[in-house]
Amino acid sequence: MLGKATLLEAIAGKNRGLIATEQEKQAILIAIAKLEDLNPTPCPVEAPNLLDGNWRLVYTTSRALLNIDNLPLYKLGQIYQYIRIQTNSVYNIAEVYGLPLLESIVSVAAKFEPVSGRRINVKFERSIIGLQRLLGYSSPETFIQQIEAGKKFTAIDFALNSNEQQGWLDITYLDNNLRIGRGNEGSVFVLIKA
């Protein structure tokens, strides 16, 4: 699909948006909008076989995520989002790198509720921030299995008040390996199947 190739080419080498110029950001947003017009899955929330799975963020305009890169001595690594349709769960994990032995992760676990064919409401339930080596972090999959098993971590590990920590996400494009979403704070997210 030409629109998909155009978007992927536009975001290549932009480090999830961290090093995109304003002109490049505008071109990417135009490519995103054009691809959204070609969405092969008009009701993504009703396509669990496509939505479920492990995703990796390749581009975003989210200041909350991109600002992690501004921490002193740290650089933002990969960002993952794992969706588990069976339990209406979503897990976000950002890997953070810096000084040796101080590699960290920032993670949020949430529940989602479909409210239309393309919108989900998200209620954040738990946040875990800590050093990868103290958490025994080896991969996002293993870490999520530990969260699902109820493990408490040697880290900043706290429950979030789900009545206050809410948002929504419109899934505006979904195929077998690419997903685009637009959040309640105006951010755009482009993810590929991991």
Side-chain angles (χ1 to χ4, degrees), residues 125-188:
E125 296 187 328
R126 185 176 179 191
S127 182
I128 302 166
I129 303 167
L131 297 175
Q132 290 182 21
R133 63 187 177 87
L134 292 179
L135 294 168
Y137 180 83
S138 59
S139 72
E141 294 87 355
T142 304
F143 186 66
I144 290 167
Q145 288 169 358
Q146 293 171 327
I147 293 171
E148 289 175 330
K151 180 177 179 177
K152 288 297 270 178
F153 294 94
T154 305
I156 301 170
D157 182 352
F158 55 95
L160 298 168
N161 182 342
S162 62
N163 291 330
E164 294 175 14
Q165 300 291 325
Q166 298 185 53
W168 54 259
L169 178 75
D170 283 338
I171 301 166
T172 56
Y173 180 92
L174 179 66
D175 67 19
N176 62 337
N177 63 4
L178 181 74
R179 177 167 52 96
I180 299 172
R182 292 181 180 264
N184 58 289
E185 295 181 350
S187 298
V188 174

Side-chain angles (χ1 to χ4, degrees), residues 94-106:
E95 297 175 342
V96 183
Y97 295 94
L99 296 175
L101 304 178
L102 294 181
E103 296 86 1
S104 303
I105 63 162
V106 177

Side-chain angles (χ1 to χ4, degrees), residues 81-135:
Q81 184 175 76
Y82 285 28
I83 297 176
R84 301 294 180 254
I85 296 292
Q86 190 171 2
T87 58
N88 282 9
S89 299
V90 61
Y91 303 94
N92 296 326
I93 299 172
E95 297 175 342
V96 183
Y97 295 94
L99 296 175
L101 304 178
L102 294 181
E103 296 86 1
S104 303
I105 63 162
V106 177
S107 175
V108 177
K111 292 289 187 183
F112 67 88
E113 175 188 10
V115 292
S116 75
R118 56 183 259 175
R119 179 169 287 186
I120 57 172
N121 283 341
V122 180
K123 292 186 178 183
F124 300 99
E125 296 187 328
R126 185 176 179 191
S127 182
I128 302 166
I129 303 167
L131 297 175
Q132 290 182 21
R133 63 187 177 87
L134 292 179
L135 294 168

